[in-house]
Amino acid sequence: EVQLVESGGGLVQPGVSLKLSCAASGFTFDESAIHWVRQASGQGLEWIGRIRSRSDNYATAYAESLRGRVTISRDDSKNTAYLQMNSLRTEDTATYYCTSLVVRGNFNWFDPWGQGTLVTVSS
Amino acid sequence: IQMTQSPSSLSASIGDRVTITCRASQSILKDVNWYQQKPGKAPKLLIYAASSLQSGVPSRFSGSGSGADFTLTIANLQPEDSASYYCQQSYGTLLAFGGGTKVEI
């Protein structure tokens, strides 16, 4: 079964850092780009960024609004991707999803998605 | 590239035909995907490459458009279609979602 499982969320205080994990199974993880998406309660989906595969030099890209505070990394030996967020703010409170990018010819889309992990930033 | 989705919400009856639109801030060819999300669940892919139906998705869902204007249509609306729907542009390096449409039955 193709699966992504996020972990590492929880209640944190403003200003701290947090590292989320995304464990993959059932597909060729090391050939896949992994993206992170978040969603505040009752709000829409926000793309955070991505990391490509080794064959694409693990290239990363980030949303402009978060650039400088987030870092995406991966460990192919563990089939796991990570999202590091620094200087957390209350507005970072959201459910964080990881998803794999499927590429077919000139087109690509997100599938599958993890179940999400909730991060609550509050004092 | 920004995606402007409308309406933000709608109410329709069983059997209705529903149309949701997304407009890109520039031409993105056919690089648009559509997702359905139910409360407490992760998004689920419905349509990729603007008009291709994902395997297992009911045929009452369809997508169309190219360039900057795209449409998701739900024909013969069913109770299980009550959900939020998001378009997503997959053109270029920085990806983005539309603001979402909540469909109530």
Side-chain angles (χ1 to χ4, degrees), chain B residues 4-89:
Chain B
T4 302
Q5 187 173 339
S6 63
S8 57
S9 66
L10 65 89
S11 181
S13 300
I14 301 299
D16 282 355
R17 183 182 185 90
V18 167
T19 298
I20 299 169
T21 63
C22 255
R23 172 163 287 178
S25 56
Q26 67 177 69
S27 175
I28 54 173
L29 306 179
K30 296 190 70 176
D31 292 347
V32 162
N33 308 311
W34 291 93
Y35 301 86
Q36 177 193 66
Q37 186 183 34
K38 296 187 177 181
K41 300 294 187 181
K44 169 190 168 185
L45 179 70
L46 295 176
I47 301 286
Y48 62 92
S51 58
S52 296
L53 190 68
Q54 170 70 342
S55 176
V57 174
S59 59
R60 63 180 180 274
F61 291 92
S62 64
S64 64
S66 64
D69 293 307
F70 302 89
T71 299
L72 173 71
T73 299
I74 311 173
N76 188 22
L77 193 68
Q78 296 299 300
E80 60 266 32
D81 300 334
S82 179
S84 292
Y85 295 84
Y86 295 91
C87 60
Q88 175 244 326
Q89 61 86 359

Side-chain angles (χ1 to χ4, degrees), chain A:
Chain A
E1 179 188 8
V2 176
Q3 194 173 16
L4 292 168
V5 178
E6 303 92 339
S7 61
L11 175 63
V12 297
Q13 292 192 330
V16 305
S17 297
L18 189 66
K19 191 171 186 177
L20 305 179
S21 300
C22 169
S25 59
F27 66 100
T28 312
F29 176 80
D30 58 3
E31 295 179 359
S32 301
I34 298 296
H35 294 240
W36 287 89
V37 175
R38 71 179 181 179
Q39 184 174 38
S41 180
Q43 303 301 307
L45 301 169
E46 179 183 15
W47 180 77
I48 296 171
R50 57 86 168 145
I51 185 165
R52 287 182 167 164
S53 65
R54 179 182 178 184
S55 61
D56 288 316
N57 299 314
Y58 300 123
T60 55
Y62 304 102
E64 292 178 356
S65 61
L66 294 170
R67 200 170 298 160
R69 284 204 305 129
V70 301
T71 302
I72 298 175
S73 59
R74 63 192 295 160
D75 184 341
D76 290 346
S77 69
K78 296 181 179 179
N79 278 6
T80 300
Y82 305 95
L83 172 66
Q84 168 101 21
M85 296 193 65
N86 301 321
S87 304
L88 282 164
R89 308 165 182 168
T90 55
E91 54 265 37
D92 293 320
T93 295
T95 296
Y96 287 74
Y97 296 99
C98 63
T99 179
S100 175
L101 190 72
V102 175
V103 179
R104 293 289 184 269
N106 294 326
F107 299 104
N108 55 79
W109 55 88
F110 295 136
D111 189 50
W113 294 66
Q115 85 288 351
T117 187
L118 177 63
V119 174
T120 302
V121 184
S122 174
S123 55

